[in-house]
Coordinates of all heavy atoms in Angstrom, one line a residue:
M25 N 203.8 -53.7 123.4 CA 202.6 -53.3 124.2 C 203.0 -52.2 125.0 O 204.1 -52.2 125.7 CB 202.2 -54.6 125.0 CG 201.0 -54.2 125.9 SD 200.6 -55.4 127.2 CE 200.6 -57.0 126.4
E26 N 202.2 -51.2 125.2 CA 202.4 -50.0 126.0 C 202.4 -50.4 127.5 O 201.6 -51.2 128.0 CB 201.4 -49.0 125.8 CG 201.5 -48.3 124.4 CD 200.4 -47.2 124.2 OE1 199.7 -46.9 125.2 OE2 200.4 -46.7 123.2
R27 N 203.3 -49.8 128.2 CA 203.4 -50.1 129.7 C 203.9 -48.8 130.3 O 205.1 -48.5 130.4 CB 204.3 -51.2 130.0 CG 204.3 -51.8 131.4 CD 204.8 -53.1 131.6 NE 206.2 -53.2 131.1 CZ 207.3 -53.0 131.9 NH1 207.1 -52.7 133.1 NH2 208.5 -53.1 131.3
W28 N 202.9 -47.9 130.8 CA 203.3 -46.6 131.3 C 203.7 -46.7 132.7 O 203.1 -47.2 133.6 CB 202.2 -45.6 131.1 CG 201.9 -45.4 129.6 CD1 200.9 -46.1 128.9 CD2 202.5 -44.5 128.7 NE1 200.9 -45.7 127.5 CE2 201.9 -44.7 127.4 CE3 203.6 -43.6 128.9 CZ2 202.4 -43.9 126.3 CZ3 203.9 -42.8 127.8 CH2 203.3 -43.0 126.6
I29 N 205.0 -46.0 133.0 CA 205.4 -46.1 134.3 C 205.8 -44.6 134.7 O 206.3 -43.8 133.9 CB 206.8 -46.9 134.5 CG1 206.5 -48.4 134.2 CG2 207.5 -46.7 135.7 CD1 207.7 -49.3 134.3
E30 N 205.4 -44.2 135.9 CA 205.6 -42.9 136.4 C 207.1 -42.7 136.7 O 207.8 -43.5 137.2 CB 204.8 -42.6 137.7 CG 205.0 -41.2 138.2 CD 204.0 -40.8 139.3 OE1 203.2 -41.7 139.7 OE2 204.0 -39.6 139.7
V31 N 207.6 -41.4 136.4 CA 208.9 -41.0 136.7 C 208.9 -39.9 137.7 O 208.7 -38.7 137.3 CB 209.7 -40.5 135.4 CG1 211.1 -40.3 135.7 CG2 209.5 -41.6 134.3
P32 N 209.0 -40.2 139.0 CA 209.0 -39.2 140.0 C 210.1 -38.2 139.9 O 211.2 -38.4 139.6 CB 209.2 -40.0 141.3 CG 208.8 -41.4 141.0 CD 209.2 -41.5 139.6
G33 N 209.7 -36.9 140.0 CA 210.6 -35.8 139.9 C 210.8 -35.2 138.5 O 211.3 -34.1 138.4
A34 N 210.4 -35.9 137.5 CA 210.7 -35.4 136.1 C 209.8 -34.2 135.8 O 210.1 -33.4 135.0 CB 210.4 -36.6 135.1
G35 N 208.7 -34.1 136.4 CA 207.8 -33.0 136.2 C 208.4 -31.6 136.6 O 207.9 -30.6 136.1
A36 N 209.4 -31.7 137.4 CA 210.0 -30.4 137.8 C 211.0 -29.9 136.8 O 211.5 -28.7 136.9 CB 210.8 -30.7 139.1
L37 N 211.3 -30.6 135.7 CA 212.1 -30.1 134.7 C 211.6 -28.9 134.0 O 210.4 -29.0 133.5 CB 212.5 -31.2 133.7 CG 213.4 -32.4 134.2 CD1 213.4 -33.5 133.2 CD2 214.8 -31.9 134.5
R38 N 212.3 -27.9 133.9 CA 211.9 -26.6 133.3 C 212.4 -26.6 131.8 O 213.2 -27.4 131.5 CB 212.4 -25.4 134.0 CG 211.9 -25.3 135.4 CD 210.4 -25.0 135.5 NE 209.9 -25.1 136.9 CZ 208.8 -25.8 137.2 NH1 208.2 -26.5 136.4 NH2 208.4 -25.8 138.5
E39 N 211.9 -25.6 131.1 CA 212.4 -25.5 129.7 C 213.9 -25.5 129.6 O 214.6 -24.7 130.4 CB 211.8 -24.2 129.1 CG 212.2 -24.0 127.6 CD 211.6 -25.1 126.7 OE1 210.6 -25.7 127.0 OE2 212.2 -25.3 125.6
G40 N 214.5 -26.4 128.8 CA 215.9 -26.4 128.6 C 216.6 -27.3 129.7 O 217.8 -27.5 129.6
G41 N 215.8 -27.8 130.6 CA 216.4 -28.6 131.7 C 216.4 -30.1 131.3 O 215.6 -30.6 130.4
R42 N 217.3 -30.8 131.8 CA 217.4 -32.3 131.6 C 217.9 -33.0 132.9 O 218.6 -32.4 133.7 CB 218.2 -32.6 130.4 CG 219.7 -32.1 130.5 CD 220.6 -33.2 130.7 NE 222.0 -32.7 130.7 CZ 222.6 -32.1 131.7 NH1 221.9 -31.8 132.7 NH2 223.9 -31.8 131.6
G43 N 217.6 -34.3 132.9 CA 218.0 -35.0 134.1 C 218.0 -36.5 133.7 O 217.5 -36.9 132.7
T44 N 218.7 -37.3 134.6 CA 218.7 -38.7 134.3 C 217.9 -39.4 135.3 O 217.8 -39.0 136.5 CB 220.2 -39.3 134.4 OG1 220.7 -38.9 135.7 CG2 221.1 -38.7 133.3
F45 N 217.2 -40.4 134.9 CA 216.3 -41.2 135.7 C 216.3 -42.6 135.3 O 216.5 -43.0 134.1 CB 214.8 -40.7 135.5 CG 214.6 -39.2 135.7 CD1 214.8 -38.3 134.7 CD2 214.1 -38.8 137.0 CE1 214.7 -36.9 135.0 CE2 214.0 -37.4 137.2 CZ 214.3 -36.5 136.2
V46 N 216.2 -43.5 136.3 CA 216.2 -45.0 136.0 C 214.8 -45.4 136.0 O 214.0 -45.2 137.0 CB 217.0 -45.7 137.1 CG1 217.0 -47.2 136.8 CG2 218.5 -45.3 137.0
V47 N 214.3 -46.0 134.9 CA 213.0 -46.4 134.7 C 213.0 -47.8 134.4 O 213.6 -48.3 133.3 CB 212.3 -45.6 133.6 CG1 210.9 -46.2 133.3 CG2 212.2 -44.2 133.9
D48 N 212.4 -48.7 135.2 CA 212.4 -50.1 135.0 C 213.8 -50.7 134.8 O 214.0 -51.6 134.0 CB 211.5 -50.3 133.8 CG 210.7 -51.7 133.9 OD1 210.6 -52.2 135.0 OD2 210.3 -52.3 132.8
G49 N 214.8 -50.1 135.5 CA 216.1 -50.6 135.4 C 216.9 -50.0 134.2 O 218.1 -50.3 134.1
Y50 N 216.2 -49.2 133.4 CA 217.0 -48.5 132.3 C 217.3 -47.1 132.6 O 216.4 -46.3 132.9 CB 216.1 -48.6 131.0 CG 216.0 -49.9 130.5 CD1 215.0 -50.8 130.9 CD2 216.8 -50.5 129.5 CE1 214.8 -52.1 130.4 CE2 216.7 -51.7 129.0 CZ 215.7 -52.6 129.4 OH 215.6 -53.8 128.9
P51 N 218.5 -46.6 132.4 CA 218.8 -45.2 132.6 C 218.4 -44.4 131.4 O 218.7 -44.8 130.3 CB 220.4 -45.2 132.8 CG 220.8 -46.4 132.2 CD 219.7 -47.4 132.2
L52 N 217.6 -43.4 131.6 CA 217.1 -42.5 130.6 C 217.4 -41.1 130.9 O 217.6 -40.7 132.0 CB 215.5 -42.6 130.5 CG 215.0 -44.0 130.3 CD1 213.4 -43.9 130.3 CD2 215.4 -44.6 128.9
V53 N 217.5 -40.3 129.8 CA 217.7 -38.8 129.9 C 216.3 -38.3 129.6 O 215.8 -38.5 128.4 CB 218.7 -38.3 129.0 CG1 218.8 -36.7 129.1 CG2 220.1 -38.9 129.3
L54 N 215.7 -37.5 130.4 CA 214.5 -36.7 130.1 C 214.8 -35.3 130.0 O 215.6 -34.7 130.8 CB 213.4 -36.9 131.2 CG 212.5 -38.1 131.0 CD1 213.2 -39.4 131.3 CD2 211.2 -38.1 131.8
A55 N 214.3 -34.6 129.0 CA 214.6 -33.2 128.8 C 213.3 -32.5 128.3 O 212.5 -33.1 127.6 CB 215.7 -33.0 127.7
R56 N 213.2 -31.2 128.7 CA 212.1 -30.4 128.2 C 212.5 -29.4 127.2 O 213.3 -28.6 127.4 CB 211.4 -29.7 129.4 CG 210.1 -29.1 129.0 CD 209.4 -28.4 130.2 NE 209.0 -29.2 131.3 CZ 207.9 -30.0 131.4 NH1 207.1 -30.0 130.3 NH2 207.7 -30.7 132.5
V57 N 212.0 -29.6 126.0 CA 212.4 -28.8 124.9 C 211.0 -28.3 124.2 O 210.2 -29.2 123.9 CB 213.3 -29.5 123.9 CG1 213.5 -28.7 122.6 CG2 214.6 -29.9 124.5
G58 N 211.0 -27.1 123.9 CA 209.7 -26.6 123.2 C 208.5 -26.9 124.1 O 207.4 -27.0 123.5
G59 N 208.6 -26.9 125.4 CA 207.5 -27.1 126.4 C 207.2 -28.5 126.6 O 206.4 -28.9 127.5
A60 N 207.7 -29.4 125.8 CA 207.3 -30.9 125.9 C 208.5 -31.7 126.5 O 209.7 -31.3 126.2 CB 207.0 -31.4 124.5
L61 N 208.2 -32.7 127.2 CA 209.2 -33.5 127.7 C 209.5 -34.7 126.7 O 208.6 -35.1 126.0 CB 208.7 -34.3 129.0 CG 208.9 -33.5 130.3 CD1 208.2 -34.2 131.5 CD2 210.4 -33.2 130.6
H62 N 210.8 -35.0 126.6 CA 211.3 -36.1 125.7 C 212.1 -37.0 126.5 O 212.8 -36.6 127.4 CB 212.0 -35.5 124.5 CG 211.2 -34.4 123.7 ND1 210.4 -34.8 122.8 CD2 211.2 -33.1 123.9 CE1 209.8 -33.7 122.3 NE2 210.3 -32.7 122.9
A63 N 212.2 -38.3 126.1 CA 213.0 -39.3 126.8 C 213.8 -40.1 125.8 O 213.3 -40.5 124.8 CB 212.2 -40.2 127.7
V64 N 215.1 -40.2 126.1 CA 216.0 -41.1 125.2 C 216.8 -41.9 126.2 O 217.0 -41.6 127.4 CB 216.9 -40.2 124.3 CG1 216.1 -39.5 123.3 CG2 217.8 -39.3 125.1
E65 N 217.4 -42.9 125.7 CA 218.4 -43.7 126.5 C 219.6 -42.9 126.9 O 220.0 -42.1 126.1 CB 218.7 -45.0 125.8 CG 219.5 -44.8 124.5 CD 219.9 -46.2 123.9 OE1 220.3 -47.1 124.6 OE2 219.7 -46.3 122.6
D66 N 220.1 -43.2 128.0 CA 221.3 -42.5 128.6 C 222.6 -43.2 128.2 O 223.4 -43.7 129.0 CB 221.2 -42.4 130.1 CG 222.3 -41.6 130.7 OD1 223.0 -40.8 129.9 OD2 222.6 -41.7 131.9
R67 N 222.7 -43.5 126.9 CA 223.8 -44.3 126.4 C 224.2 -43.9 124.9 O 223.3 -44.1 124.1 CB 223.6 -45.7 126.5 CG 224.7 -46.7 126.2 CD 224.3 -48.2 126.5 NE 223.3 -48.6 125.6 CZ 223.5 -49.1 124.3 NH1 224.6 -49.2 123.9 NH2 222.4 -49.5 123.6
C68 N 225.3 -43.4 124.7 CA 225.7 -42.9 123.4 C 225.8 -44.2 122.5 O 226.4 -45.1 122.9 CB 227.0 -42.1 123.5 SG 227.6 -41.5 121.9
S69 N 225.4 -44.0 121.2 CA 225.5 -45.1 120.3 C 226.9 -45.3 119.7 O 227.2 -46.3 119.1 CB 224.5 -44.9 119.2 OG 224.8 -43.8 118.4
H70 N 227.8 -44.3 120.0 CA 229.2 -44.5 119.6 C 230.0 -45.4 120.4 O 230.6 -46.4 119.9 CB 229.9 -43.0 119.5 CG 231.3 -43.1 119.2 ND1 232.3 -42.6 120.0 CD2 232.0 -43.7 118.1 CE1 233.5 -42.9 119.5 NE2 233.3 -43.6 118.3
D71 N 230.1 -45.1 121.7 CA 230.8 -45.9 122.6 C 230.3 -45.9 124.0 O 231.1 -45.8 125.0 CB 232.3 -45.5 122.6 CG 233.3 -46.5 123.2 OD1 232.9 -47.6 123.2 OD2 234.4 -46.1 123.7
D72 N 229.0 -45.9 124.1 CA 228.3 -46.0 125.4 C 228.5 -44.8 126.4 O 228.5 -45.0 127.6 CB 228.7 -47.3 126.1 CG 228.3 -48.5 125.4 OD1 227.4 -48.4 124.5 OD2 228.9 -49.6 125.6
G73 N 228.8 -43.7 125.8 CA 229.0 -42.5 126.7 C 227.7 -42.1 127.5 O 226.7 -42.4 127.0
P74 N 227.9 -41.5 128.7 CA 226.8 -41.2 129.5 C 226.2 -39.8 129.0 O 226.6 -38.8 129.5 CB 227.4 -41.1 130.9 CG 228.8 -40.6 130.6 CD 229.2 -41.3 129.3
L75 N 225.2 -39.9 128.2 CA 224.6 -38.6 127.6 C 224.1 -37.7 128.7 O 224.1 -36.5 128.5 CB 223.6 -39.0 126.6 CG 224.1 -39.8 125.4 CD1 222.9 -40.3 124.5 CD2 225.1 -38.9 124.6
G76 N 223.6 -38.2 129.8 CA 223.0 -37.4 130.8 C 224.0 -36.5 131.5 O 223.7 -35.5 132.1
E77 N 225.3 -36.8 131.3 CA 226.4 -36.0 131.8 C 226.9 -34.9 130.9 O 227.8 -34.1 131.2 CB 227.5 -36.9 132.3 CG 227.2 -37.8 133.4 CD 228.3 -38.8 133.8 OE1 229.4 -38.5 133.4 OE2 228.0 -39.8 134.4
G78 N 226.3 -34.9 129.7 CA 226.7 -33.9 128.7 C 225.8 -32.8 128.7 O 224.9 -32.6 129.6
G79 N 225.9 -31.9 127.7 CA 225.1 -30.7 127.8 C 223.9 -30.9 126.9 O 223.7 -31.8 126.1
L80 N 222.9 -29.9 127.0 CA 221.8 -29.9 126.2 C 221.7 -28.5 125.5 O 221.7 -27.4 126.2 CB 220.5 -30.0 127.0 CG 219.1 -30.0 126.2 CD1 219.0 -31.2 125.2 CD2 218.0 -30.0 127.1
E81 N 221.9 -28.5 124.2 CA 221.9 -27.2 123.5 C 220.7 -27.2 122.5 O 220.7 -27.9 121.5 CB 223.2 -27.0 122.7 CG 224.5 -27.0 123.6 CD 225.7 -26.9 122.9 OE1 225.7 -26.6 121.6 OE2 226.8 -27.1 123.5
G82 N 219.7 -26.4 122.9 CA 218.4 -26.5 122.1 C 217.8 -27.9 122.3 O 217.6 -28.4 123.4
C83 N 217.7 -28.5 121.2 CA 217.1 -30.0 121.2 C 218.3 -31.0 121.0 O 218.0 -32.1 120.9 CB 216.1 -30.1 120.1 SG 216.8 -29.9 118.4
E84 N 219.5 -30.5 121.1 CA 220.7 -31.4 120.9 C 221.3 -31.8 122.2 O 221.8 -31.0 122.9 CB 221.6 -30.8 119.9 CG 221.1 -30.4 118.6 CD 222.1 -29.9 117.6 OE1 223.3 -29.9 118.0 OE2 221.7 -29.4 116.5
L85 N 221.4 -33.1 122.4 CA 222.1 -33.6 123.5 C 223.4 -33.9 123.1 O 223.7 -34.6 122.0 CB 221.3 -34.9 123.9 CG 221.4 -35.5 125.3 CD1 221.2 -34.5 126.4 CD2 220.5 -36.7 125.5
V86 N 224.5 -33.5 123.8 CA 225.9 -33.6 123.5 C 226.6 -34.6 124.3 O 226.6 -34.5 125.6 CB 226.6 -32.2 123.7 CG1 228.0 -32.3 123.2 CG2 225.8 -31.1 122.9
C87 N 227.2 -35.6 123.6 CA 227.9 -36.6 124.4 C 229.1 -36.1 125.0 O 229.9 -35.4 124.3 CB 228.2 -37.8 123.5 SG 229.1 -39.1 124.4
P88 N 229.4 -36.3 126.3 CA 230.6 -35.7 127.0 C 231.9 -36.4 126.6 O 233.0 -35.8 126.8 CB 230.3 -35.9 128.5 CG 229.4 -37.1 128.5 CD 228.5 -37.0 127.2
R89 N 231.8 -37.5 125.9 CA 233.1 -38.3 125.6 C 233.7 -37.7 124.3 O 234.9 -37.3 124.3 CB 232.8 -39.7 125.5 CG 232.6 -40.4 126.8 CD 233.2 -41.8 126.8 NE 232.8 -42.4 128.1 CZ 232.3 -43.6 128.2 NH1 232.1 -44.4 127.2 NH2 232.1 -44.1 129.4
H90 N 233.1 -37.8 123.2 CA 233.6 -37.3 121.9 C 232.8 -36.4 121.2 O 233.1 -36.1 120.0 CB 233.9 -38.6 121.1 CG 234.6 -39.8 121.8 ND1 233.9 -40.9 122.1 CD2 235.9 -39.9 122.3 CE1 234.7 -41.7 122.8 NE2 235.9 -41.1 122.9
G91 N 231.8 -35.8 121.7 CA 231.1 -34.7 121.1 C 230.0 -35.1 120.1 O 229.5 -34.1 119.5
A92 N 229.6 -36.3 120.1 CA 228.5 -36.6 119.2 C 227.2 -35.9 119.7 O 227.1 -35.6 120.9 CB 228.2 -38.2 119.2
R93 N 226.3 -35.7 118.8 CA 225.0 -35.0 119.2 C 223.9 -35.8 118.7 O 223.9 -36.5 117.6 CB 225.0 -33.6 118.5 CG 226.0 -32.7 119.2 CD 225.9 -31.3 118.5 NE 226.9 -30.4 119.0 CZ 226.5 -29.3 119.7 NH1 225.3 -28.9 119.8 NH2 227.4 -28.5 120.3
F94 N 222.8 -35.8 119.5 CA 221.6 -36.5 119.2 C 220.4 -35.5 119.4 O 220.4 -34.7 120.3 CB 221.4 -37.7 120.2 CG 222.5 -38.7 120.1 CD1 223.7 -38.6 120.8 CD2 222.4 -39.7 119.1 CE1 224.7 -39.5 120.7 CE2 223.4 -40.7 119.0 CZ 224.6 -40.5 119.8
D95 N 219.4 -35.7 118.5 CA 218.2 -34.9 118.8 C 217.3 -35.6 119.9 O 216.9 -36.8 119.7 CB 217.4 -34.9 117.5 CG 216.2 -33.9 117.5 OD1 215.6 -33.8 118.6 OD2 216.0 -33.3 116.4
V96 N 217.2 -34.9 121.0 CA 216.5 -35.4 122.1 C 215.0 -35.7 121.8 O 214.4 -36.5 122.5 CB 216.7 -34.5 123.3 CG1 215.8 -33.3 123.3 CG2 216.5 -35.3 124.6
R97 N 214.5 -35.2 120.7 CA 213.1 -35.3 120.4 C 212.8 -36.7 119.8 O 211.8 -37.2 119.8 CB 212.6 -34.2 119.5 CG 212.7 -32.9 120.1 CD 212.4 -31.8 119.1 NE 213.4 -31.8 118.1 CZ 213.5 -30.9 117.1 NH1 212.6 -29.9 117.0 NH2 214.4 -31.0 116.2
D98 N 213.9 -37.3 119.1 CA 213.6 -38.5 118.4 C 214.8 -39.5 118.4 O 214.7 -40.6 117.9 CB 213.1 -38.3 117.0 CG 214.1 -37.5 116.2 OD1 215.3 -37.4 116.6 OD2 213.8 -37.1 115.0
G99 N 215.9 -39.0 119.0 CA 217.0 -39.9 119.2 C 218.0 -40.0 117.9 O 219.0 -40.7 117.9
R100 N 217.7 -39.2 116.9 CA 218.5 -39.2 115.7 C 219.9 -38.8 116.0 O 220.1 -37.8 116.8 CB 218.0 -38.2 114.6 CG 216.8 -38.8 113.8 CD 216.5 -37.7 112.8 NE 216.1 -36.5 113.4 CZ 216.4 -35.3 112.9 NH1 217.1 -35.2 111.8 NH2 216.1 -34.1 113.5
A101 N 220.9 -39.4 115.4 CA 222.3 -38.9 115.5 C 222.5 -37.8 114.5 O 222.1 -37.9 113.4 CB 223.2 -40.1 115.1
L102 N 223.1 -36.7 115.1 CA 223.2 -35.5 114.3 C 224.7 -35.2 114.0 O 224.9 -34.4 113.1 CB 222.6 -34.3 115.1 CG 221.1 -34.4 115.5 CD1 220.7 -33.2 116.4 CD2 220.3 -34.4 114.2
R103 N 225.6 -35.7 114.7 CA 227.0 -35.4 114.5 C 227.9 -36.6 114.8 O 227.6 -37.3 115.7 CB 227.4 -34.2 115.3 CG 228.9 -33.8 115.1 CD 229.2 -32.6 115.9 NE 228.5 -31.4 115.5 CZ 228.8 -30.2 116.0 NH1 229.6 -30.0 117.0 NH2 228.1 -29.1 115.6
M104 N 228.9 -36.7 114.0 CA 229.9 -37.8 114.2 C 230.6 -37.5 115.5 O 230.7 -36.4 116.0 CB 230.9 -37.7 113.1 CG 230.4 -38.0 111.7 SD 230.1 -39.8 111.5 CE 231.8 -40.3 111.1
P105 N 231.2 -38.5 116.2 CA 231.4 -39.9 115.6 C 230.2 -40.8 115.7 O 230.3 -42.0 115.2 CB 232.6 -40.4 116.4 CG 232.4 -39.8 117.7 CD 231.8 -38.4 117.5
A106 N 229.1 -40.4 116.2 CA 227.9 -41.3 116.2 C 227.2 -41.3 114.9 O 227.0 -40.2 114.3 CB 227.0 -40.9 117.4
V107 N 226.7 -42.4 114.5 CA 225.9 -42.5 113.2 C 224.6 -43.2 113.5 O 223.6 -42.9 112.8 CB 226.7 -43.2 112.1 CG1 227.8 -42.4 111.7 CG2 227.1 -44.6 112.5
A108 N 224.5 -44.0 114.5 CA 223.3 -44.7 114.8 C 222.4 -43.9 115.8 O 222.9 -43.3 116.7 CB 223.5 -46.1 115.4
A109 N 221.1 -44.0 115.7 CA 220.2 -43.3 116.5 C 220.3 -44.0 117.9 O 220.6 -45.2 118.0 CB 218.8 -43.4 116.0
I110 N 219.8 -43.3 118.9 CA 219.6 -43.9 120.2 C 218.1 -44.1 120.4 O 217.3 -43.4 119.7 CB 220.2 -43.0 121.4 CG1 219.6 -41.5 121.3 CG2 221.7 -43.0 121.3 CD1 220.0 -40.7 122.5
L111 N 217.8 -44.9 121.4 CA 216.4 -45.2 121.6 C 215.6 -43.9 122.1 O 216.1 -43.3 123.1 CB 216.3 -46.3 122.6 CG 214.8 -46.8 122.9 CD1 214.2 -47.5 121.7 CD2 214.9 -47.8 124.2
S112 N 214.5 -43.7 121.5 CA 213.6 -42.6 122.0 C 212.4 -43.3 122.6 O 211.8 -44.2 122.0 CB 213.2 -41.7 120.8 OG 212.3 -40.8 121.1
V113 N 212.0 -42.8 123.7 CA 210.9 -43.4 124.5 C 209.7 -42.5 124.6 O 209.9 -41.3 125.0 CB 211.4 -43.9 125.9 CG1 210.3 -44.6 126.7 CG2 212.7 -44.7 125.8
P114 N 208.5 -43.0 124.3 CA 207.3 -42.0 124.5 C 207.2 -41.6 125.9 O 207.4 -42.3 126.9 CB 206.2 -42.9 124.1 CG 206.8 -44.0 123.2 CD 208.1 -44.2 123.8
V115 N 206.8 -40.3 126.0 CA 206.5 -39.6 127.4 C 205.2 -39.0 127.3 O 204.8 -38.4 126.2 CB 207.6 -38.5 127.6 CG1 207.4 -38.0 129.0 CG2 209.0 -39.1 127.5
K116 N 204.5 -38.9 128.4 CA 203.3 -38.1 128.5 C 203.2 -37.6 129.9 O 203.7 -38.1 130.9 CB 202.0 -38.9 128.1 CG 201.7 -40.1 129.0 CD 200.5 -40.8 128.5 CE 200.1 -42.1 129.3 NZ 199.0 -42.8 128.8
E117 N 202.5 -36.4 130.0 CA 202.3 -35.8 131.3 C 200.8 -35.8 131.6 O 200.0 -35.4 130.7 CB 202.8 -34.4 131.3 CG 204.3 -34.3 131.2 CD 204.8 -32.9 131.3 OE1 205.1 -32.4 132.5 OE2 205.1 -32.3 130.3
E118 N 200.4 -36.3 132.7 CA 199.0 -36.3 133.1 C 198.7 -35.8 134.5 O 199.3 -36.5 135.4 CB 198.4 -37.8 133.0 CG 198.4 -38.3 131.6 CD 197.7 -39.7 131.6 OE1 197.7 -40.4 132.7 OE2 197.4 -40.2 130.5
G119 N 198.1 -34.7 134.6 CA 197.8 -34.1 136.0 C 199.1 -34.0 136.8 O 199.0 -34.3 138.0
G120 N 200.1 -33.5 136.2 CA 201.4 -33.3 137.0 C 202.2 -34.5 137.1 O 203.4 -34.4 137.6
R121 N 201.8 -35.6 136.7 CA 202.6 -36.8 136.7 C 203.2 -37.0 135.3 O 202.7 -36.8 134.3 CB 201.8 -38.1 137.0 CG 201.1 -38.0 138.4 CD 200.0 -39.0 138.5 NE 200.6 -40.4 138.4 CZ 200.0 -41.4 137.7 NH1 198.9 -41.2 137.0 NH2 200.5 -42.6 137.7
V122 N 204.5 -37.5 135.3 CA 205.2 -37.8 134.1 C 205.3 -39.3 134.0 O 205.7 -40.0 134.9 CB 206.6 -37.2 134.1 CG1 207.4 -37.7 132.9 CG2 206.6 -35.7 134.2
L123 N 204.9 -39.8 132.8 CA 204.9 -41.3 132.5 C 205.7 -41.5 131.3 O 205.6 -40.8 130.3 CB 203.4 -41.7 132.3 CG 202.5 -41.4 133.5 CD1 201.0 -41.5 133.0 CD2 202.6 -42.3 134.6
V124 N 206.5 -42.6 131.3 CA 207.2 -43.1 130.1 C 206.6 -44.5 129.8 O 206.2 -45.2 130.7 CB 208.7 -43.0 130.3 CG1 209.2 -41.7 130.6 CG2 209.2 -44.0 131.3
D125 N 206.7 -44.8 128.5 CA 206.2 -46.1 128.0 C 207.4 -47.1 128.2 O 208.2 -47.2 127.2 CB 205.7 -46.0 126.6 CG 205.2 -47.3 126.2 OD1 205.1 -48.3 126.9 OD2 204.8 -47.4 124.9
A126 N 207.4 -47.8 129.2 CA 208.5 -48.8 129.5 C 208.3 -50.0 128.5 O 209.3 -50.7 128.3 CB 208.4 -49.3 130.9
G127 N 207.2 -50.0 127.8 CA 207.1 -51.1 126.8 C 207.9 -50.9 125.6 O 208.2 -51.8 124.9
A128 N 208.5 -49.6 125.5 CA 209.4 -49.3 124.4 C 210.8 -49.6 124.7 O 211.7 -49.5 123.9 CB 209.2 -47.8 124.0
L129 N 211.1 -50.0 126.0 CA 212.5 -50.2 126.4 C 213.0 -51.6 126.0 O 212.2 -52.5 125.9 CB 212.6 -50.0 127.9 CG 212.3 -48.6 128.4 CD1 212.2 -48.6 130.0 CD2 213.4 -47.7 127.9
Ligands
LIG229 S1 230.9 -42.2 123.4 FE1 229.6 -40.6 122.7 S2 230.7 -39.7 121.1 FE2 232.0 -41.3 121.7

């Protein structure tokens, strides 16, 4: 079931920017790529690395531990050593507010 929760401060992210936010107790990385905001879990599927502390290169979020990459748009694993996707969470912007679907968490 959808459950949209506002993420204060996320609307300030500019193109190529990313930040970590705790939503409903879950740490997420939000990033703006191609003009749109995307949200994924802040936990690498390889060994729980903090993805929000890594870099963002285009649409690729880079794990700071061992270099795995994930597509921030859908959570797909793009580079070893990660093979499993990370959770991708729906995001929408309404009147300057950023909302994520906590029902997907
Ligand atoms: S914990 Fe992310 S690549 Fe190993």
Side-chain angles (χ1 to χ4, degrees):
M25 183 195 306
E26 291 182 1
R27 190 162 57 89
W28 295 94
I29 292 181
E30 184 172 3
V31 187
L37 291 170
R38 300 292 174 227
E39 181 66 24
R42 56 110 176 78
T44 55
F45 302 86
V46 177
V47 176
D48 211 22
Y50 289 88
L52 301 178
V53 179
L54 272 74
R56 190 179 297 281
V57 175
L61 278 173
H62 304 277
V64 293
E65 63 179 318
D66 184 17
R67 186 174 63 86
C68 180
S69 63
H70 173 239
D71 194 25
D72 298 340
L75 295 173
E77 296 177 17
L80 178 67
E81 298 178 13
C83 63
E84 298 184 8
L85 202 51
V86 183
C87 181
R89 286 215 183 135
H90 313 108
R93 289 174 179 248
F94 299 89
D95 191 322
V96 76
R97 298 170 298 181
D98 58 12
R100 281 181 303 141
L102 301 173
R103 182 178 291 185
M104 297 283 279
V107 292
I110 55 174
L111 181 66
S112 175
V113 183
V115 184
K116 63 184 178 182
E117 292 184 86
E118 288 182 349
R121 299 165 64 221
V122 175
L123 305 159
V124 300
D125 181 8
L129 296 171

